Amino acid sequence: MDTETGKVVQVLDSVGGADDLQYDAASGRIYFVGTTGTVAVFKEMDPDHFQLLGKVPTGQYLKQGSGA
């Protein structure tokens, strides 16, 4: 989303509803922990675009991306 205009600039293909979302600025990656027992990993290509790197199965009991 463009923070100045509120316009959606990209919609990401996620993995169900969100249990947690983490952004790692050093790697430019988003880690999206979904309700389906999967983590989707996206790489920042430029400030307005992310590319899906892959979906990693975690099992149905992982919550909050911390393994708790």
Side-chain angles (χ1 to χ4, degrees):
M1 177 181 290
D2 183 314
T3 57
E4 293 182 16
T5 66
K7 179 183 175 189
V8 174
V9 293
Q10 184 177 2
V11 176
L12 302 177
D13 180 24
S14 65
V15 287
D19 276 341
D20 194 22
L21 180 70
Q22 303 276 330
Y23 176 69
D24 179 33
S27 67
R29 291 183 179 182
I30 292 175
Y31 298 90
F32 184 101
V33 181
T35 58
T36 61
T38 305
V39 175
V41 182
F42 297 91
K43 170 79 175 159
E44 184 175 22
M45 306 310 289
D46 62 56
D48 290 333
H49 298 94
F50 286 81
Q51 178 182 10
L52 177 65
L53 296 179
K55 295 178 181 178
V56 181
T58 61
Q60 65 185 21
Y61 299 107
L62 179 69
K63 299 288 184 186
Q64 300 298 324
S66 65

